[in-house]
Amino acid sequence: PLVLGLVVLAGVIAALALRPVARAQGAAGDPAAIARRFAEVQGIINQLLMLARVEGSMSFEDDERLHAAAIAEQVIMQLPAQQAARVCVRDEGGAARALRIPASLALTALRNIVDNALRYGDAEATVVLRIVQHGGMAGFTVEDQGSGMSDADIGKAGQRFWRKGGGQGSGLGLSIVNAIVARYDGGWKLERREGGGLAAHLGFPAD
C-alpha cells in the first residue's frame, strides 16, 4: 500500500510538473524542455520508490557488502566527469573497513550527500570526501565550500520535500539517508565548517 500510494503521488507530481512546460510552449510543446522535465520527474519517482523500499519490508540481504573505499570509488564513478573532477578523496583510516550495510544502500546514501555538496557548494570549489573510522563505525565526511546553512535549516534537512531556499532537487535525498541509517543502525549529521560551508558525516557499523 505504501509503495502504491507513493507511485500515485509521483503520478500527480508528474502531471503538475509537465503542465507548465506545455502551457509555456504551446500545445505542441518544446520536446527538449519536456524531456528534461520528464527526466526530473522520473528521478523523483525513483527516489520515492527507494524511500518506500527502505522504510518497508523489502529485503536487501542478498546485496553484497563492500569496503568503504570501494563505496567511495563507485560513487565517484557514477558522477559526470566534470563533477567527479571536483571531488578529492582522502583516506583517514576507514578505507579497509567493510560496512555492515548492503552496498547499494551505502552507495545511495553517500551519493545523495555528495550530490548535495556539489549542488550547494561553490560551483568551482573542491568537495573533500574523507573516509573515516571511529571505533566500531566507519564511513565518510563530505565537506563543501558553499554558503552553509543556519541552525534552523540544518534542523529541517532530511524532512521530505524540504529544500534549502526552495532550491534545486527533489527534497528527498536526505530523507532517504535518514531512512537508510535508521534501518542499519548508522548515523549522519550536518554541521557548519569554520570558514564556511558544511560537513556531512555518515557512518555505519563496520568490520
Side-chain angles (χ1 to χ4, degrees), residues 99-171:
L99 304 184
R100 295 204 295 266
I101 174 176
S104 63
L105 297 183
L107 286 166
T108 295
L110 181 58
R111 173 68 188 268
N112 288 353
I113 288 174
V114 170
D115 280 346
N116 271 20
L118 290 166
R119 178 179 296 118
Y120 294 110
D122 290 345
E124 303 301 324
T126 297
V127 170
V128 178
L129 170 53
R130 305 181 189 275
I131 309 176
V132 299
Q133 63 174 342
H134 301 284
M137 305 280 283
F140 314 93
T141 294
V142 180
E143 299 171 350
D144 67 48
Q145 300 179 44
S147 59
M149 297 170 67
S150 67
D151 288 339
D153 282 350
I154 287 176
K156 294 175 184 175
Q159 295 179 8
R160 296 182 190 183
F161 300 111
W162 184 85
R163 296 173 295 174
K164 178 185 174 183
Q168 303 175 18
S170 66

Side-chain angles (χ1 to χ4, degrees), residues 26-72:
D30 174 15
I34 291 174
R36 286 193 299 271
R37 188 61 64 89
F38 182 82
E40 293 171 5
V41 171
Q42 185 62 53
I44 294 174
I45 292 172
N46 290 340
Q47 287 187 310
L48 285 168
L49 290 174
M50 172 59 77
L51 190 59
R53 293 183 186 115
V54 175
E55 292 183 336
S57 58
M58 179 175 177
S59 174
F60 295 89
E61 299 313 309
D62 291 338
D63 204 348
E64 63 181 337
R65 267 58 170 173
L66 292 176
H67 294 94
I71 297 294

